[in-house]
Amino acid sequence: MAAWCLVNGTPAQGPERPLGMEGGGNLDPQSVAKMPGEMDKPLISHHLVDSNYSLAEVPSEAPKVGILGSGDFAHSLATRLVGSGFCVLVGSRNPKRTAGLFPAAAQVTSQEEAVACPEVILVAMFREHYSSLCSLRDQLTGKILVDVSNPTEQEHLQYHQSNAEYLASLFPTSTVVKAFNVISAWTMQSGPRDGNRQVPICSNHPEAKHTISLMARSMGFTPVDMGSLASAREVEAMPLRLLPDWKVPALLALGLFVFFYAYNFTRDVLQPYVQENKNKFYKLPVSVVNTSLPCVAFVLLSLVYLPGVLAAALQLQRGTKYRRFPDWLDHWLQHRKQIGLLSFFCAALHVLYSLCLPLRRSHRYDLVNLAVKQVLANNSHLWVEEEVWRMEIYISLGLLAFGTLSLLAVTSLPSIANSLNWKEFSFVQSTLGFVALVLSTLHTLTYGWTRAFEESRYKFYLPPTFTLTLLVPCTIILAKALFFLPCFSRRLSKIRRGWEKDGDVKFTLPASQALAQKTSHV
């Protein structure tokens, strides 16, 4: 049977050939396996491309792939496949109406004609439309059906069977493969540039997985074998996850912000209004927020290094490193990166809010009132040496802490972290991270100065906010100082190198080997 492709909008006829040969043809896994080098790179570099991403020149014979569906993802699939050197046949129920939505090099035809020649059919349809393809069951016998669909969250919870497994139950004589569902339509159309290139693939047939893997590589993606089709449900759940590693850290940061905001509101706004009849509600948008942000950033930074202290204490107490940590500590250790980045985010907002403080109208009124009081008091020179030095040191330590925290955030980026070896990464994240914690502690102590000992600072009998934030970091710094003592540091170093407190292993030979050894000595 002749193979048909479109060259500049006109059909070109040529004989069928297996995929991977110089010409085009059907996807033959055995033929593809013989020519592995042919599909290591996309074929787009061999052709001229128009401004609308359609090929201006396509070879007369190319590997044929069918697509069932005419939606946005089907259009993106067709564009990417055409750009990678495939001959694409799109099956639609209304070919004339949808032909203009696809590249000129893709042939839009009926569903029956689209599945007649290709051995690989991409099913780009919703689950509820799978049953409409049952009339094509005979034509799809022995062919590879690639399910690219994704369920909604409600459908994922409603159906205990994945879309790919449901498709396989409808077409038992076909080979079903789950692939390309984690790639967005934009990435599929424009190509995998800086985004995730990985394409999870699962199927019960290794040869079909190999064929689709070669197709994914030719399109510029990196296939990842996820096993049998039973893994399709897990693969379909991947696009439904919304930042799963950030849920707990984000809730923690939000909870800390709400607590400190309510605490500062009670001290700085509610107390003057109740006891002194002063209206200071204007502080809610900026001042109270700016007072709460550094508290959240400081506590989050402390929570990054607290689990390491707890883990070291557990190892010292157990005398071994081979016992698992409790689940809560293990999850805490895994979320340290996210907690640290949220700490940097709050610190950056604190810096921006602090820079905006002099721009407030209330600040200008305070300066004018202070100047008027100074004139009325006939005081021409107002200078408090202690306050000047305190503020200079306070700001300097804050900038140093923020700069070090910025370095930690930058090295957390995958592109930067991958360029560092383990020792460099450990030095930045561990040593410089602890330096950032110490600088932040000194910054907070300089801000507080002697205010913790002044009775007027305890409004509603509540201590100043900075005293609450100093509890955890000071505990961590003291614990770190203890771990630096030789009696603890040497023992901890031995434990982390594999030493165990009660780990003396006695090797005994079996009775038969011991008897043989004695006989040989005789």
Side-chain angles (χ1 to χ4, degrees), residues 52-65:
N52 62 350
Y53 295 96
S54 61
L55 293 181
E57 181 180 353
V58 180
S60 59
E61 299 172 357
K64 294 195 295 292
V65 178

Side-chain angles (χ1 to χ4, degrees), residues 195-234:
N196 191 356
R197 296 172 176 264
Q198 292 185 349
V199 176
I201 299 176
C202 62
S203 176
N204 295 331
H205 302 271
E207 292 184 357
K209 283 194 295 186
H210 180 66
T211 302
I212 304 304
S213 297
L214 292 177
M215 177 190 291
R217 289 189 183 278
S218 70
M219 297 167 66
F221 297 100
T222 303
V224 178
D225 192 346
M226 297 294 291
S228 64
L229 200 63
S231 304
R233 183 171 176 82
E234 179 183 353

Side-chain angles (χ1 to χ4, degrees), residues 384-459:
V384 181
E385 190 74 16
E386 181 182 356
E387 284 296 312
V388 171
W389 275 100
R390 184 181 72 85
M391 288 301 298
E392 295 292 323
I393 298 174
Y394 161 71
I395 294 175
S396 178
L397 290 172
L399 292 176
L400 289 174
F402 180 69
T404 310
L405 195 60
S406 302
L407 182 60
L408 296 176
V410 170
T411 53
S412 298
L413 298 175
S415 57
I416 304 298
N418 293 336
S419 64
L420 303 176
N421 59 38
W422 171 247
K423 190 172 183 179
E424 294 169 343
F425 183 80
S426 177
F427 171 77
V428 173
Q429 294 294 326
S430 180
T431 305
L432 291 185
F434 184 70
V435 170
L437 182 64
V438 173
L439 290 174
S440 302
T441 304
L442 294 176
H443 173 68
T444 307
L445 287 172
T446 309
Y447 170 79
W449 207 248
T450 59
R451 298 179 183 181
F453 308 103
E454 298 175 3
E455 185 179 356
S456 60
R457 300 292 179 179
Y458 289 80
K459 302 176 181 179

Side-chain angles (χ1 to χ4, degrees), residues 91-111:
S92 174
R93 288 174 294 181
N94 298 292
K96 295 182 179 180
R97 188 178 63 181
T98 58
L101 303 177
F102 289 86
Q107 180 181 356
V108 182
T109 181
S110 63
Q111 293 181 344

Side-chain angles (χ1 to χ4, degrees), residues 264-281:
N264 291 319
F265 167 76
T266 303
R267 282 177 41 85
D268 299 339
V269 178
L270 191 60
Q271 188 269 343
Y273 183 77
V274 173
Q275 294 186 348
E276 303 174 13
N277 199 21
K278 293 182 179 179
N279 187 352
K280 294 190 176 182
F281 286 91

Side-chain angles (χ1 to χ4, degrees), residues 36 88 106 112 115 123 130 137 143 148 150 155 161 172 211 242 290 312 331 359 364-365 429 440 461 507-508:
V88 180
E112 291 77 8
V115 302
V123 183
Y130 287 173
R137 185 176 290 133
K143 299 191 176 183
V148 301
N150 279 320
E155 291 174 346
Q161 189 182 38
T211 302
L242 179 61
N290 189 45
H331 292 309
L359 302 178
R364 299 179 184 180
Y365 287 155
Q429 294 294 326
S440 302
Y461 301 101
F507 296 96
T508 57

Side-chain angles (χ1 to χ4, degrees), residues 298-318:
F298 194 24
V299 173
L300 288 177
L301 183 61
S302 305
L303 295 179
V304 173
Y305 296 96
L306 179 58
V309 173
L310 297 177
L314 275 177
Q315 290 177 344
L316 286 173
Q317 187 265 331
R318 295 172 174 176

